[in-house]
Amino acid sequence: MNTAELKKELTEMIEKAQDTSALEQVRVTALGKKGRITDLMKTLGGMEPEARKEAGQQLNVLKTEIADLIEKQASMLKKQELDERLATETLDITLSPRPRKKGSVHPISQTQEELLSIFADMGFKLTEGPDIEDDWHNFTALNFPPGHPAREMQDTFFLPDDPEEEGERAKKVLRTHTSSVQVRYMTENKPPFRIICMGRTYRSDYDMTHTPMFHQCEGLVIDKNINMGHLKGCLMEFALKFFEVDELPLRFRPSFFPFTEPSAEVDIGCSREGGGLTIGAGDDWLEILGCGMVHPNVLKNCGIDPEEYQGFAFGMGIERIAMLKYGIPDLRTFFESDTRWLSHYGFDPLKRPNKAHRG
Ligand code: PHE
């Protein structure tokens, strides 16, 4: 009996078995009821006692060796099969991360930053004043005579009188324009100066293009020998930078404000072709601001000699120019605090205001 030959043969078969069912076949062939080793075991009965003892021992050793080899191969195959399954049956259990919740800058704040950066480059200083004004700063000093219809023109919110003050100073209003800040600055400072003021203003009005609270930006320049050419140059520079265009037709239309003479309203060129709105050369016009040369009466009321100093002023609605620049159709949505609106129209807090930088 040559167990060494058989061992070699069976070992080769075991190593060749590349999956568990092939290995099971080998096991049956070697150790099954009719297997090679089992068959040999059966021949032991007909042997001489001495030969049987020796052959029996050899066969037992072979049997355990083969069984061990089969078991080793089986666990190797199991591991291999598991590795294959793990490689093919993959499941991506990672979740895409939620977008980081971050606040955005409201278009009003963004536009104010842009205005500030443009006018600061032209040497304007930012000034502020109170939202609750008295009648003198909001109207009288600005050449609105008492009882003048223009006071009603602005749909003023009147507040109860202040018992600690007298006359026009006792009458309180929510400021209807930021021109009151200019009055405050002129009465407290000596010319020359260039200032802008920005802030909330209030008028009793509410529709697609009016809200009871809105924002204005006004500018004032007082110096010697100031004329409308300066006003025009200043506004031209502003409009090009603000709307980020190389060319922009400006139209000065005669208008009326009690505090400026002459007064004008400024339109910018635009095109409404194809239902959209494009700022720039076109055959249409859009009003963006009011302006004029400061009325001599206003200068006098604020203690400035109109013979020595002149100046120009301009004022605009911040929502209005923001709507034009950023294509926001309804003014009322600015103040609804709808987070979907804010994330759509808001600005990245880490970005600088997108002022156009020109040579
Ligand atoms: N105060 C004006 C308004 O509210 C705007 C304006 C400001 C016009 C300065 C001329 C000069 O409509």
Side-chain angles (χ1 to χ4, degrees), residues 177 179 203 216 218 257 259-260 290-291 313-315:
H177 50 186
S179 306
R203 294 181 196 181
Q216 279 194 338
E218 290 205 16
F257 300 104
F259 36 89
T260 47
C291 63
F314 56 87

Side-chain angles (χ1 to χ4, degrees), residues 241-272:
K241 280 191 175 172
F242 182 76
F243 290 105
E244 298 176 43
V245 288
D246 294 319
E247 266 182 86
L248 186 59
L250 278 198
R251 181 170 80 172
F252 284 70
R253 240 179 327 102
S255 184
F256 171 78
F257 300 104
F259 36 89
T260 47
E261 182 59 35
S263 303
E265 275 172 322
V266 175
D267 301 336
I268 53 172
C270 71
S271 151
R272 287 195 170 84

Side-chain angles (χ1 to χ4, degrees), residues 72-111:
K72 259 197 201 151
Q73 183 74 357
S75 69
M76 194 278 280
L77 287 177
K78 244 191 190 164
K79 189 178 173 295
Q80 194 173 300
E81 279 167 19
L82 182 65
D83 285 348
E84 269 169 28
R85 273 180 56 195
L86 286 177
T88 52
E89 298 173 16
T90 51
L91 180 66
D92 184 2
I93 54 159
T94 54
L95 272 178
S96 53
R98 279 190 210 174
R100 242 180 68 220
K101 261 196 193 151
K102 57 175 183 183
S104 60
V105 175
H106 193 283
I108 289 296
S109 308
Q110 173 77 13
T111 307

Side-chain angles (χ1 to χ4, degrees), residues 131 157 199-203 205 210-215 319 331 335:
D131 287 21
F157 285 112
R200 293 179 169 171
T201 49
Y202 306 84
R203 294 181 196 181
D205 211 347
H210 297 89
T211 47
M213 186 281 295
F214 60 103
H215 296 75
E319 286 81 358
L331 171 63
F335 310 115

Side-chain angles (χ1 to χ4, degrees), residues 104-305:
S104 60
V105 175
H106 193 283
I108 289 296
S109 308
Q110 173 77 13
T111 307
Q112 284 183 332
E113 287 294 318
E114 292 172 17
L115 290 167
L116 184 58
S117 108
I118 292 169
F119 285 114
D121 275 0
M122 291 194 245
F124 285 76
K125 179 178 136 180
L126 182 67
T127 56
E128 285 182 319
D131 287 21
I132 296 178
E133 260 303 356
D134 56 57
D135 186 89
W136 190 79
H137 286 93
N138 197 78
F139 292 123
T140 310
L142 287 161
N143 202 32
F144 288 80
H148 191 282
R151 289 178 185 233
E152 269 79 65
M153 197 168 92
Q154 297 200 338
D155 299 310
T156 314
F157 285 112
F158 295 98
L159 299 175
D161 284 6
D162 181 349
E164 283 171 27
E165 302 264 9
E166 278 177 21
E168 287 167 335
R169 312 258 173 174
K171 283 196 189 154
K172 298 288 179 184
V173 298
L174 288 178
R175 70 179 177 200
T176 59
H177 50 186
T178 40
S179 306
S180 55
V181 184
Q182 306 187 345
V183 172
R184 287 186 176 271
Y185 196 86
M186 283 191 278
T187 52
E188 287 159 17
N189 295 274
K190 292 243 158 300
F193 43 70
R194 296 176 199 188
I195 54 161
I196 52 163
C197 46
M198 289 192 266
R200 293 179 169 171
T201 49
Y202 306 84
R203 294 181 196 181
S204 180
D205 211 347
Y206 188 70
D207 59 32
M208 271 270 280
T209 50
H210 297 89
T211 47
M213 186 281 295
F214 60 103
H215 296 75
Q216 279 194 338
C217 172
E218 290 205 16
L220 172 73
V221 172
I222 304 284
D223 208 333
K224 291 177 177 166
N225 302 318
I226 293 288
N227 60 50
M228 269 199 102
H230 298 117
L231 169 62
K232 223 175 155 179
C234 173
L235 293 178
M236 192 74 219
E237 167 109 1
F238 153 72
L240 289 177
K241 280 191 175 172
F242 182 76
F243 290 105
E244 298 176 43
V245 288
D246 294 319
E247 266 182 86
L248 186 59
L250 278 198
R251 181 170 80 172
F252 284 70
R253 240 179 327 102
S255 184
F256 171 78
F257 300 104
F259 36 89
T260 47
E261 182 59 35
S263 303
E265 275 172 322
V266 175
D267 301 336
I268 53 172
C270 71
S271 151
R272 287 195 170 84
E273 247 170 63
L277 176 71
T278 315
I279 308 272
D283 44 21
D284 234 328
W285 297 97
L286 258 174
E287 184 198 319
I288 57 160
L289 57 84
C291 63
M293 302 304 293
V294 181
H295 198 292
N297 287 350
V298 176
L299 295 173
K300 267 187 248 162
N301 290 340
C302 298
I304 294 172
D305 180 2

Side-chain angles (χ1 to χ4, degrees), residues 2-11 36-37 40 62:
N2 193 346
T3 51
E5 269 300 310
L6 183 58
K7 184 183 166 186
K8 201 176 154 225
E9 197 186 324
L10 288 174
T11 307
R36 304 276 293 278
I37 296 176
L40 285 177
L62 178 65

